[in-house]
């Protein structure tokens, strides 16, 4: 099995890579938010990961809208990159490509819970 | 995004929406640059992806002919050129670094006096286009761009890279200036500029591929076999047009010139004539002036003795009594202004009902200050939103956080925290309940912002015809809320504009009323960092505004806990001056001080004398005024260290005995140093050495001034020894003694100078 995985076309592993990258970004952002409560350096404030008792729909927008956008754009960008990658595309190029995807995903989801 | 700007009122138009969208992207994206490689590596490696070894390394996907670098250049250049001038100024103007663009990017210090000026846009756009084109062309060999999704993603990522490169160019151009001095300002400055570039890429990236395909077909149709020439020509033309358009489209903010109304002019002969703003002209900055046309330096102190603080220590008073002797002592130090801190929670304890007794205390205090020759800046004080943010007794907080003490500001009925945590972490301003309450305020939830605007109108009616009221501070150290920084500044500017308009309407409703100054603050981040994204230029068209940040660099800014200096005292002044210049407003330091510790075995209530002198030198060089923080502080104040024996950093108090602790001689010598209370025309230089008492000033009046108040130079000089001034262009010189020092007066005209010692 491992040898098959090694030689199969990257597009076959796109779903798994998408899940790993999106989950990883989420975890890293959460860790940064926890470690930097000022959110001066963390991409997201800690409140982006909190659900509180609130009045009105908008107050849950952070969790209901922001995080899904972050996850979906990351997963989409990762999957597209793997599906469209040439077989000669190496790991380093893929890391750079996915790095760009994480930046784009964060930018598009706007980095704010509100 | 639309909901985010819902509280922006008149600012909630298309321009604000676009600016908000752009800045929503940039800052989080620039931060994720630092950590985004981690999930990227996880994704790329976790599934053990590697190319098949038997495949030749050089094998590439078939590339469509229009993905050569020339085509790509056209595809990236055209969106920038066509869309850039439309939304680019909003991007640049809305960025936190907007105010810093003027000088750092003006390359006048290049040899031969070369000045690129607006061509900087060309440099940035060209960089973005070329880098984006190279990235797109190169990636087309590794990814299948015959598929629409790949194509769209590839173009967008290429634009992101191009934008980041443009930000790097900006940062590099700013570097020579950023590296001057001993601080590390180049770090946050580079981060802000790269964030701007990323915003550029995100904003335009979606248009790269559609433009590329469109241009490819178009040029194929019209160029015949000369595609290479056509693509290069099209790219160059697009960049030139785009750069020119961006430079032309940079908005000029038209603010009406300040006028002196007849009611204000009637106060010309008063001991404290009404204050106004003299607009910037040519190379001279806008200044605070009186109705006689004299530049006025407001120098004094904050008074917090009317503030309604939370009371974290039962049995200990949160403020010290305020009386006539306080103002007499301030006058003896040469001060001519107090920033009188008042509390919304005391003024409007229940919604829509003002506490008349508190209002009477404010009026009495203003009158008391005026009797001692002191203007009053009525400041709606607020720290960490309000006393109702205090965590209830018994609140258990996670490790590393403590229950919020609650501070001062908004009443309980206007504190909408939606159940957010009241546990305080690194800073009181970042307590979740505090940020939530500010977001509710900025979005005018339940009309609470409207209530404060109405309160301002009431205060403005009360003091409409009082020239001893210098002006109004709309909100002290406003928090950021739960919005991204730039969005907060847009919303803050919207509140400030609403309040200003309400104040002006109220002043017109009173016979004898005239427009007072309004002191505008950036968010509390400026106090905590030394810079911030201030409200965008043009957020208000009112001509009587004064930019009044708190200049705490190298004293209590957050970088001190990191052991480095991001913004030095001198840089703090430079940044504040640049921001004020961008607005076309005078500059005034609403708070400063705390250059030292009040705790430990040898408390130093007044701070480091050397730092105080550095601040004073920078302030004199800027020729502005200030209000030192703070006149007195009580042992029971939530701002006081409960373990400290002595609290306060000017007139201290021994918490064990309750007796006053006088200020140190070094502090007093700096605070009461000589300065011109009023100078005809405008000051062109000012220097005042607190140690040697050497003093000199120079000024210029626009034309020969007649006698009377308009030509009267009024200088404060401290000490018991009578000064002997030497002058040029000054007649009718008089020196008379007052409590604590001397008043040197004379009639100045044309170019004038005065020096002592």
């Amino acid at each position: 099995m491992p040898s098959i995985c090694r030689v199969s076309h990257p597009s076959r592993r796109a779903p798994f890579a998408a899940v790993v990258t999106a989950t990883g970004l989420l975890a890293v952002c959460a860790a940064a938010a926890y470690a930097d409560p000022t959110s001066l350096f963390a991409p997201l404030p800690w409140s982006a990961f909190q659900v509180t008792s609130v009045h009105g729909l908008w107050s849950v927008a952070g969790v209901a809208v922001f995080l899904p956008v972050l996850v979906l754009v990351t997963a989409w960008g990762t999957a597209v990159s793997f599906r469209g990658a040439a077989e000669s595309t190496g790991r380093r190029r893929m890391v750079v490509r996915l790095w760009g995807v994480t930046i784009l995903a964060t930018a598009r989801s706007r980095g704010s819970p509100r | 995004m639309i909901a985010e700007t819902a509280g922006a009122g008149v600012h909630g138009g298309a321009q604000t929406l676009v600016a908000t969208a752009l800045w929503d992207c940039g800052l989080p994206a620039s931060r994720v640059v630092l950590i985004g490689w981690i999930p990227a590596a996880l994704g790329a490696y976790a599934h053990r992806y590697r190319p098949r070894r038997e495949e030749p390394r050089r094998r590439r996907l078939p590339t469509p002919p229009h993905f050569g670098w020339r085509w790509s250049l056209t595809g990236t250049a055209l969106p920038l050129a066509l869309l850039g001038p439309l939304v680019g100024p909003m991007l640049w103007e809305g960025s936190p670094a907007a105010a810093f663009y003027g000088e750092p990017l003006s390359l006048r210090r290049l040899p031969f006096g070369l000045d690129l000026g607006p061509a900087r846009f060309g440099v940035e756009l060209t960089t973005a286009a070329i880098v984006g084109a190279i990235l797109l062309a190169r990636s087309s060999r590794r990814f299948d761009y015959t598929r629409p999704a790949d194509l769209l993603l590839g173009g967008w990522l290429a634009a992101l890279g191009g934008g980041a490169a443009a930000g790097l160019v900006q940062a590099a151009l700013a570097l020579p200036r950023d590296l001057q001095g001993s601080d590390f300002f180049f770090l946050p400055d580079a981060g802000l500029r790269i964030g701007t570039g990323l915003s550029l890429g995100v904003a335009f990236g979606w248009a790269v591929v559609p433009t590329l395909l469109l241009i490819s077909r178009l040029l194929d149709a019209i160029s015949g076999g000369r595609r290479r020439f056509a693509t290069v020509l099209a790219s160059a033309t697009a960049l030139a047009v785009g750069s020119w358009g961006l430079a032309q489209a940079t908005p000029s903010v038209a603010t009406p010139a300040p006028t002196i109304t007849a009611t204000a002019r009637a106060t010309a002969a008063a001991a404290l004539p009404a204050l106004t703003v003299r607009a910037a002209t040519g190379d001279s900055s806008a200044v605070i002036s009186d109705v006689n046309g004299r530049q006025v330096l407001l120098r004094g102190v904050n008074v917090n003795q009317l503030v309604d603080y939370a009371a974290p220590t039962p049995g200990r008073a949160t403020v010290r009594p305020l009386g006539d002797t306080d103002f007499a002592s301030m006058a003896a130090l040469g001060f001519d202004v107090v920033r009188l801190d008042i509390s919304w929670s005391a003024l409007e304890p229940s919604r829509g009902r003002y506490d008349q007794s508190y209002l009477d205390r404010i009026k009495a205090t203003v009158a008391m200050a005026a009797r001692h020759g002191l203007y009053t800046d009525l400041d709606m004080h607020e720290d960490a939103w309000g006393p109702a943010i205090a965590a209830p007794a018994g609140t258990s907080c996670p490790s590393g956080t403590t229950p919020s003490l609650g501070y001062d500001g908004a009443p309980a009925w206007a504190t909408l925290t939606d159940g957010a945590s009241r546990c305080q972490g690194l800073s009181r301003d970042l307590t979740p309940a505090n940020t939530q309450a500010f977001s509710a305020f900025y979005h005018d939830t339940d009309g609470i912002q409207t209530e404060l605007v109405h309160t301002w109108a009431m205060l403005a009616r009360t003091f409409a015809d009082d020239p001893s009221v210098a002006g109004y501070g709309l909100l002290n150290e406003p928090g950021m809320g739960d919005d991204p920084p730039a969005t907060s500044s847009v919303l803050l500017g919207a509140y400030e504009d609403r309040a200003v308009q309400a104040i002006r309407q109220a002043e017109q409703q009173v016979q004898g009323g005239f427009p007072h100054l309004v002191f505008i603050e950036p968010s509390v981040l400026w106090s905590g960092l030394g810079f911030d994204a201030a409200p965008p230029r043009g957020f208000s068209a009112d001509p009587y505004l004064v930019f009044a940040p708190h200049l705490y660099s190298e004293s209590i800014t957050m970088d001190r806990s990191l052991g480095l200096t991001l913004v030095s005292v001198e840089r703090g002044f430079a940044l504040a001056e640049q921001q004020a210049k961008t607005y076309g407003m005078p500059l005034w330091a609403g708070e400063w001080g705390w250059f030292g510790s009040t705790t430990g075995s040898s408390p130093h209530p007044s701070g480091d004398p050397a730092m105080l002198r550095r601040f004073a030198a920078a302030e004199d060089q800027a020729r502005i005024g200030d209000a030192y923080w703070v006149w007195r502080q009580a042992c029971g104040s939530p701002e006081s260290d409960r373990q400290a024996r002595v609290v306060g950093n000017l007139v201290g108090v021994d918490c064990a005995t309750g007796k006053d602790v006088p200020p140190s001689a070094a502090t007093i010598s700096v605070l009461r140093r000589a300065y011109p209370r009023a100078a005809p025309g405008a000051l062109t230089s000012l220097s005042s050495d607190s140690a040697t008492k050497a003093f000199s000033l120079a000024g210029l009046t626009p034309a020969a001034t007649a006698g009377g108040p308009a030509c009267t130079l009024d200088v404060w000089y401290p000490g018991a020894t009578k000064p002997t001034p030497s002058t040029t262009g000054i007649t009718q010189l008089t020196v008379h003694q007052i409590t604590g020092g001397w008043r040197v007066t004379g009639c100045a005209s044309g170019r004038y100078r005065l020096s002592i010692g």
Side-chain angles (χ1 to χ4, degrees):
Chain A
M1 281 299 289
S3 60
I4 294 175
C5 286
R6 283 174 185 277
V7 297
S8 65
H9 190 277
S11 66
R12 299 179 63 177
R13 296 187 295 273
F16 180 60
V19 169
V20 168
T21 310
T23 309
L25 179 60
L26 211 54
V28 167
C29 285
Y34 184 78
D36 173 25
T38 68
S39 72
L40 289 174
F41 301 100
L44 315 175
W46 182 239
S47 56
F49 298 91
Q50 290 179 315
V51 179
T52 55
S53 60
V54 293
H55 308 294
L57 182 63
W58 181 243
S59 299
V60 296
V63 176
V65 178
F66 166 72
L67 294 182
V69 171
L70 180 75
V71 168
L72 290 175
V73 174
T74 307
W76 169 77
T78 306
V80 165
S81 296
F82 271 82
R83 288 197 179 115
E87 293 184 11
S88 60
T89 304
R91 280 177 171 170
R92 288 180 188 170
R93 287 182 189 277
M94 192 58 82
V95 169
V96 172
R97 179 88 164 180
L98 298 189
W99 186 31
V101 167
T102 63
I103 297 168
L104 182 65
T106 312
R108 276 302 73 199
S109 50
R110 303 196 340 269
S112 164
R114 291 191 65 87
Chain B
M1 182 179 75
I2 292 171
E4 207 163 68
T5 52
V10 294
H11 299 268
Q15 189 178 29
T16 302
L17 291 176
V18 174
T20 301
L22 294 174
W23 266 105
D24 272 0
C25 321
L27 291 179
S30 66
R31 294 182 196 128
V32 94
V33 165
L34 300 175
I35 59 170
W37 61 271
I38 298 173
L42 284 173
Y45 281 75
H47 69 302
R48 295 180 296 177
Y49 168 73
R50 60 179 56 172
R52 288 199 320 204
R53 292 187 180 181
E54 60 269 31
E55 291 292 334
R57 293 287 299 175
R58 303 299 295 174
R59 183 181 169 187
R60 293 169 179 169
L61 290 170
T63 304
H66 50 261
F67 281 97
W69 70 267
R70 293 184 190 86
W71 289 108
S72 300
L73 182 61
T74 312
T76 50
L78 268 183
L80 290 169
L82 298 176
L83 298 175
L86 295 177
V87 297
M90 286 178 257
L91 186 144
W92 262 269
E93 283 291 312
S95 84
F100 315 148
Y101 284 166
E103 210 159 342
L105 285 182
S106 181
L107 304 179
R108 293 182 185 186
R109 292 181 185 176
L110 288 181
F112 313 112
L114 184 63
D115 179 8
L116 286 180
R120 65 180 186 267
F121 294 119
V123 174
E124 293 165 14
L125 291 185
T126 304
T127 304
I130 290 175
V131 172
I134 291 171
L135 290 175
L136 183 59
R138 287 185 63 86
S139 65
S140 70
R141 303 170 188 170
R142 303 287 178 186
F143 295 91
D144 184 1
Y145 283 170
T146 60
R147 295 148 52 103
D150 292 66
L151 192 53
L152 180 65
L153 180 63
W156 215 338
L157 291 177
L160 204 60
L168 279 171
V169 168
Q170 275 193 3
L173 289 173
L175 205 55
R177 186 176 178 81
D178 284 354
L179 289 177
Q180 291 174 9
S182 57
D183 59 11
F184 289 83
F185 182 64
F186 67 90
L187 289 175
D189 196 24
L192 291 171
R193 293 173 193 280
I194 291 170
T196 310
L198 287 170
S199 291
L200 182 77
V202 172
F204 299 118
W206 60 271
V208 166
V209 166
T211 307
L212 185 71
L213 297 177
L214 184 69
I215 293 302
S216 174
R217 298 198 175 176
L218 192 64
L219 287 183
D220 267 350
I222 63 175
S223 65
R226 305 175 64 191
R227 289 190 352 186
R228 177 179 297 185
F229 173 74
T231 51
V232 171
L233 184 64
S235 300
T237 306
L239 285 170
V241 171
S243 303
W244 177 84
L246 193 55
Q248 298 304 310
T250 301
S252 60
V253 179
T255 302
T259 55
I260 299 174
T261 62
T263 47
R265 197 176 297 281
T267 68
L272 294 173
L275 297 179
T276 185
V277 166
R278 189 165 65 237
T281 52
D283 290 336
S284 66
S285 304
V287 296
I288 297 173
S289 71
D290 63 17
V291 291
N292 296 306
R294 301 180 300 173
Q295 179 175 351
V296 173
L297 290 196
L298 295 175
R299 288 196 173 171
V301 68
N302 276 268
V303 172
N304 70 354
Q305 287 144 277
L306 296 190
V307 170
D308 175 32
Y309 283 110
T313 312
R316 278 190 165 182
T318 57
V319 293
R320 305 198 65 203
L322 178 64
D324 197 69
T325 53
D326 286 293
F327 293 104
S329 301
M330 292 174 208
L333 292 173
F335 295 164
D336 65 354
V337 70
V338 290
R339 183 171 181 256
L340 182 63
D341 306 326
I342 59 176
S343 293
W344 184 18
S345 59
L347 199 54
E348 194 178 1
S350 55
R351 187 167 185 153
R353 305 182 72 170
Y354 302 115
D355 183 336
Q356 190 59 44
S357 64
Y358 188 70
L359 189 59
D360 290 341
R361 284 182 69 198
I362 296 171
K363 287 195 277 191
T365 306
V366 169
M368 211 177 335
R371 282 199 297 275
H372 291 280
L374 296 155
Y375 286 102
T376 299
D377 162 24
L378 284 176
D379 175 63
M380 195 63 77
H381 212 69
E382 165 278 321
D383 292 295
W385 185 247
I389 291 291
T395 298
S396 174
C397 288
S399 173
T401 63
T402 56
S404 172
L405 299 177
Y407 292 87
D408 60 281
W413 59 264
T415 303
L416 308 180
T417 62
D418 281 343
S421 167
R422 289 161 193 258
C423 293
Q424 177 177 321
L426 183 68
S427 161
R428 65 184 183 184
D429 299 296
L430 299 167
T431 306
N434 171 37
T435 55
Q436 185 67 26
F438 262 105
S439 280
F441 175 74
Y442 288 139
H443 294 278
D444 200 19
T445 305
D446 291 348
I448 55 174
Q449 185 188 106
T450 304
E451 284 293 343
L452 184 55
V453 169
H454 290 162
T455 303
W456 269 120
M458 181 275 293
L459 281 171
R461 271 191 296 276
T462 303
F463 297 101
D465 58 352
D466 188 344
S468 74
V469 171
Y472 309 110
L474 298 177
L475 194 60
N476 177 72
E477 295 187 349
M480 298 157 287
D482 224 354
D483 302 274
T487 312
S488 293
S489 71
V490 170
L491 298 174
L492 173 60
Y495 156 66
E496 291 174 335
D497 188 39
R498 284 188 72 193
V500 168
Q501 291 186 41
I503 287 170
R504 297 296 173 240
Q505 287 175 4
E507 287 168 338
Q508 289 175 359
Q509 291 166 358
V510 177
Q511 189 175 14
F514 56 86
H516 290 69
L517 303 177
V518 174
F519 296 90
I520 296 295
E521 285 193 39
S523 89
V524 66
L525 263 185
W526 197 295
S527 304
L529 287 174
F531 63 94
D532 184 24
R537 191 160 63 135
F539 70 92
S540 172
D542 191 273
Y544 306 100
L545 305 185
V546 176
F547 184 58
H550 297 174
L551 303 182
Y552 279 119
S553 292
E554 294 196 61
S555 65
I556 57 170
T557 43
M558 288 191 282
D559 53 6
R560 313 310 296 160
S561 61
L562 301 174
L564 53 85
T565 300
L566 290 179
V567 177
S568 65
V569 167
E570 293 76 13
R571 176 99 55 194
F573 269 94
L575 295 175
E577 284 184 279
Q578 183 63 37
Q579 183 72 56
K581 187 177 172 186
T582 301
Y583 285 142
M585 297 178 192
L587 176 64
W588 189 65
E591 285 185 22
W592 69 284
W594 287 120
F595 288 115
S597 171
T598 59
T599 60
S601 55
S602 55
H604 198 331
S606 302
D608 181 347
M611 293 302 300
L612 288 164
R613 283 196 290 271
R614 269 181 64 196
F615 185 96
E619 182 185 35
D620 288 340
Q621 190 175 16
R623 304 187 293 280
I624 65 165
D626 70 84
Y628 186 78
W629 183 268
V630 60
W631 179 246
R632 290 178 188 270
Q633 184 168 315
C635 298
S637 164
E639 296 189 311
S640 296
D641 183 341
R642 279 182 275 186
Q643 309 303 322
R645 171 159 182 152
V646 175
V647 304
N649 67 340
L650 189 50
V651 184
V653 59
D654 187 320
C655 293
T657 65
K659 291 183 177 175
D660 281 355
V661 177
S664 73
T667 304
I668 285 298
S669 71
V670 169
L671 292 184
R672 69 170 190 165
R673 71 193 187 279
Y675 75 99
R677 294 165 65 103
L683 290 166
T684 54
S685 74
L686 174 62
S687 136
S688 184
D689 190 315
S690 59
T692 65
K693 291 189 179 178
F695 171 77
S696 69
L697 67 77
L700 176 66
T701 59
T705 48
C711 81
T712 302
L713 173 69
D714 183 355
V715 173
W716 153 263
Y717 191 83
T721 307
K722 184 176 182 179
T724 309
S726 60
T727 63
T728 305
I730 300 172
T731 59
Q732 303 167 36
L733 193 70
T734 64
V735 179
H736 66 277
Q737 193 165 21
I738 57 173
T739 306
W742 304 82
R743 291 284 279 273
V744 181
T745 59
C747 182
S749 181
R751 288 191 181 279
Y752 61 90
R753 304 186 66 85
L754 183 148
S755 60
I756 300 171

